[in-house]
Amino acid sequence: MATPETARVRQRAQPLPLIREVRVQPPRISRVVFMAIAFFITFLALMPFVLTVSGSLKTPSEILDWPPTLIPSVFRWENYVEVWNNSHYFPQWIANSIFVSAFHLVAYLAICSLAGYAFARMNFPGATVIFLVILGSLMVPGQVLWVPKFIILKTVADLGGPTLIDNLFGIILPDLAEVFGVFFMTQFFKSLPKELEEAASLDGASKFRTFWQVILPNAVPGLAALAILRFQGEWNAFQWPLIVARQPQNMTLPLGLASFQGLFGVHWHWVLAGAMFNAVPVIILVIFFQRYFIRSVTSSGVKG
Amino acid sequence: MQGGSAAIRRPSSRFRHWRDWVTAYLFLAPYLFFLLIFIVGALFLALYYSFTKYDLLSDPVFIGLQNYRKAIDDDVFLHALRNVATYTVVVVPIQTALALVMAAILDQKLPFRRFFRVAWYLPCVASSVVVTLIFMWLFLPDGFINYALNLIGIPIRINWLGEEATALPAIMIMNIWATAATQMLIFLAALQDVPQPIYEAASIDGAGPVRTFFQITVPLLRPAIFLVVVLGSIGCFQLYDQVKIATNGGPNDATLTVTYLLWREGFRDLNMGYASALGVILFVIIFVITLVQRRYLDVRPDY
């Protein structure tokens, strides 16, 4: 009896893939229209960048010309050298930004993966309450916390602790509370097969050793996605660093650039060249790691 | 007897698990430390300071609801609130519609779609500072925006960010440019969950792509639209970076926003108490907007 049964199943199963292939393509004309719209959007999306690159290579007089030129008549590469050399702090800002982003990233990935693992795989009293608090704090607008965070950092110094105002660590540490990473890593660890730990716990490995030697190596895709998203957030950060940093030598690159236009007034050729130093690293990152990027952005739903 | 044994059994089973619990909390401890200080604690502190007068130099003085009363009568604050509301009402619908169209086009399996996706997303990865600086330059009287308008037959040379009438619209344009693609990604993810047979049925019934979009895609995407509208509104109410960098709230308060006022009160004029109250009010407004939108937009799709 079993054979005709399977035969019938096979018979029924076969035509199905055929139906899927009959996926109707949209008619020709609408495809042409869609392509036209798509190219138009691409034009709008890329044009400001193209103009920035061209502007950053113009001479100080050409950049003020009317009508504005699309391609510089002379390519003035010195703009980039001058931006680097003429403003005393430019290399310092880049170094500060690299330090802040790198330090933040390492610490953030560590604490988020630890916490995410606890939520994903451990039972403990209070888990639901704490997780709800974390979800709830997604709703708190960052600006509400400016005043209290500033006062907390000031109080630490007043009580004899380290000086955090006007210090790079004052930028880094409060950002470690950023909610999204824990949420993201919890979801990621939940998606890993449970068998991973079961084998390890049979060998009698401790929870932490299992986490370090078995789980983390398997969590690289999740960590990479989170790292890229957070790097973008921290490298581009403006609001909180603006409150913490006071003197120019303690600023990060975005802050420095923002202070730039006041500093240089109408020297747009330098402003645009400076902006390239901030924009290019993230753009390269996105182009090379698109897949990770899109995955993490979709699950966060927020611009970092 | 029975009650007694149950009472004994429970602590003993708790005792067996306590090691696991300690381990779990050790894993959580580093994150909890930062969460409790810089979000939960800070939020309570903000609430506390909003009832005080505090200039950082002398101790905070408790003044009850005075800061809130001051805010309600503060023409500057109400003006900022009006600006932000106008900004939100204009930006959110445009950016949501644009993001939806972009996602629907990318979903059409067109050639070069990978290229389109990256190219469209690039505005979202530049920092707010870079975007603002670029657009400040493009919006100059001699800039490319005026030039483009001249090319299509609108002969104007306005100083967009320097004039009361155009400063806020200029910031609207730069932010729509900079954020639409983030929302496009949310729609794109949602579109992948729409069952393909629905589209097949529609096209067999002879529905064109435009009709399919309005009668099938849009209704099915309602949860994603809700998410995008809520996140968009929250973002709009927090408008700060572009104002701080490009206009400082000017000209003549035309681009003054709640968050910029909060910064000015707190960190320029050292009215920490009043700044905290403005922050709490902002939080409440955002919370209420989310609830209201949930009431009208968050309807599950029925397949």
Side-chain angles (χ1 to χ4, degrees):
Chain A
M1 272 320 262
T3 333
E5 180 83 3
T6 29
R8 217 164 61 209
V9 169
R10 199 173 297 145
Q11 221 172 29
R12 242 155 91 226
Q14 257 165 359
L16 274 173
L18 283 177
I19 292 178
R20 268 221 147 291
E21 280 165 30
V22 192
R23 267 272 290 282
V24 200
Q25 292 286 326
R28 260 251 135 76
I29 301 165
S30 62
R31 279 176 80 79
V32 172
V33 174
F34 286 145
M35 279 306 272
I37 302 174
F39 276 113
F40 182 64
I41 296 175
T42 311
F43 172 79
L44 291 181
L46 295 186
M47 209 49 195
F49 290 118
V50 173
L51 295 175
T52 304
V53 175
S54 117
S56 73
L57 294 169
K58 286 180 181 174
T59 61
S61 64
E62 188 179 4
I63 206 165
L64 299 173
D65 277 353
W66 179 273
T69 47
L70 198 60
I71 298 163
S73 49
V74 196
F75 281 56
R76 193 169 186 277
W77 296 99
E78 297 95 304
N79 289 345
Y80 285 83
V81 183
E82 286 165 2
V83 137
W84 186 275
N85 291 333
N86 290 9
S87 61
H88 296 302
Y89 300 110
F90 200 83
Q92 179 76 49
W93 293 336
I94 292 184
N96 287 349
S97 269
I98 292 173
F99 177 77
V100 166
S101 310
F103 192 98
H104 172 84
L105 214 55
V106 172
Y108 190 65
L109 290 184
I111 65 174
C112 286
S113 49
L114 282 169
Y117 186 64
F119 282 121
R121 290 294 161 85
M122 297 179 190
N123 292 312
F124 55 94
T128 321
V129 176
I130 298 173
F131 203 71
L132 284 179
V133 169
I134 292 177
L135 276 183
S137 39
L138 276 169
M139 288 205 51
V140 181
Q143 297 87 356
V144 185
L145 306 175
W146 286 347
V147 167
K149 273 154 77 178
F150 181 82
I151 295 173
I152 290 170
L153 296 193
K154 187 178 168 292
T155 313
V156 169
D158 288 350
L159 294 175
T163 312
L164 293 170
I165 304 283
D166 203 12
N167 181 291
L168 294 181
F169 282 99
I171 298 175
I172 297 168
L173 295 180
D175 281 357
L176 291 177
E178 173 74 42
V179 178
F180 171 68
V182 174
F183 189 59
F184 182 83
M185 288 316 293
T186 304
Q187 297 305 111
F188 186 82
F189 286 130
K190 275 186 178 163
S191 73
L192 291 179
K194 281 219 164 91
E195 288 76 19
L196 280 176
E197 291 108 314
E198 276 160 14
S201 72
L202 284 182
D203 290 344
S206 73
K207 275 253 161 48
F208 184 75
R209 237 186 91 194
T210 314
F211 171 74
W212 184 250
Q213 294 187 338
V214 182
I215 300 299
L216 274 193
N218 282 290
V220 172
L223 290 172
L226 181 60
I228 290 170
L229 194 73
R230 265 322 296 166
F231 173 78
Q232 185 205 357
E234 200 67 12
W235 176 258
N236 288 345
F238 175 69
Q239 301 186 358
W240 179 243
L242 181 74
I243 285 174
V244 174
R246 292 287 145 110
Q247 294 164 285
Q249 68 266 30
N250 292 325
M251 288 180 173
T252 54
L253 187 56
L255 292 187
L257 286 174
S259 73
F260 229 58
Q261 28 117 7
L263 214 65
F264 287 137
V266 286
H267 296 306
W268 285 104
H269 59 298
W270 284 338
V271 172
L272 296 176
M276 296 292 288
F277 284 93
N278 188 199
V280 167
V282 211
I283 290 178
I284 290 175
L285 209 66
V286 175
I287 291 173
F288 279 98
F289 296 99
Q290 287 193 49
R291 210 180 325 138
Y292 288 134
F293 222 100
I294 280 156
R295 167 185 184 162
S296 54
V297 174
T298 344
S299 55
S300 77
V302 241
K303 186 176 176 178
Chain B
M1 236 356 244
Q2 271 182 335
S5 72
I8 293 163
R9 201 176 300 138
R10 202 180 287 157
S12 80
S13 84
R14 263 194 193 168
F15 182 75
R16 247 192 289 137
H17 287 296
W18 77 269
R19 279 185 65 111
D20 288 349
W21 296 349
V22 170
T23 315
Y25 272 99
L26 282 177
F27 271 71
L28 274 180
Y31 182 72
L32 283 187
F33 174 80
F34 291 104
L35 178 77
L36 289 178
I37 293 178
F38 290 114
I39 295 186
V40 179
L43 191 60
F44 281 108
L45 274 180
L47 200 61
Y48 164 71
Y49 287 123
S50 75
F51 298 120
T52 65
K53 189 174 167 54
Y54 185 33
D55 61 1
L56 281 184
L57 305 169
S58 43
D59 286 337
V61 182
F62 190 83
I63 54 166
L65 289 170
Q66 273 185 42
N67 286 326
Y68 292 96
R69 244 180 249 134
K70 181 180 163 193
I72 293 169
D73 289 333
D74 186 351
D75 286 338
V76 181
F77 170 64
L78 295 178
H79 179 68
L81 209 53
R82 238 185 339 262
N83 280 345
V84 172
T86 313
Y87 177 83
T88 309
V89 168
V90 176
V91 169
V92 170
I94 296 180
Q95 124 191 310
T96 307
L98 191 64
L100 196 52
V101 169
M102 286 159 76
I105 289 177
L106 277 191
D107 202 43
Q108 297 291 328
K109 319 280 179 278
L110 294 176
F112 312 122
R113 55 197 291 266
R114 270 162 198 277
F115 164 74
F116 288 142
R117 196 174 63 177
V118 179
W120 298 0
Y121 190 61
L122 283 187
C124 300
V125 303
S127 69
S128 58
V129 175
V130 167
V131 169
T132 311
L133 290 177
I134 293 177
F135 274 83
M136 282 170 75
W137 173 62
L138 295 177
F139 274 126
L140 286 176
D142 289 340
F144 276 97
I145 305 245
N146 283 334
Y147 180 60
L149 290 173
N150 277 280
L151 283 185
I152 58 169
I154 307 169
I156 43 168
R157 296 272 290 277
I158 8 174
N159 181 7
W160 286 80
L161 287 160
E163 302 208 9
E164 255 178 77
T166 50
L168 196 61
I171 293 179
M172 289 170 178
I173 292 170
M174 71 171 92
N175 261 4
I176 291 171
W177 180 80
T179 48
T182 313
Q183 287 143 354
M184 170 194 80
L185 289 186
I186 300 179
F187 284 134
L188 214 48
L191 278 173
Q192 279 158 11
D193 293 339
V194 174
Q196 203 61 48
I198 294 189
Y199 286 131
E200 283 154 19
S203 92
I204 287 165
D205 288 349
V210 175
R211 224 183 112 201
T212 313
F213 176 74
F214 281 109
Q215 300 200 335
I216 295 176
T217 314
V218 173
L220 285 178
L221 287 184
R222 275 188 86 144
I225 294 175
F226 165 72
L227 182 68
V228 165
V229 168
V230 166
L231 291 174
S233 312
I234 292 176
C236 284
F237 261 81
Q238 298 179 6
L239 175 65
Y240 175 77
D241 301 21
Q242 293 75 8
V243 171
K244 180 78 184 73
I245 299 160
T247 62
N248 273 313
N252 198 12
D253 286 351
T255 58
L256 186 73
T257 65
V258 177
T259 49
Y260 183 78
L261 187 64
L262 194 164
W263 174 84
R264 199 167 77 183
E265 287 290 338
F267 295 93
R268 195 193 73 184
D269 304 339
L270 295 185
N271 293 325
M272 292 295 178
Y274 189 50
S276 297
L278 293 182
V280 173
I281 294 173
L282 179 73
F283 186 16
V284 171
I285 292 174
I286 286 176
F287 194 78
V288 170
I289 290 177
T290 313
L291 290 185
V292 169
Q293 286 171 342
R294 185 178 191 88
R295 170 89 176 66
Y296 290 103
L297 277 170
D298 190 20
V299 183
R300 297 273 121 203
D302 28 40
Y303 292 134

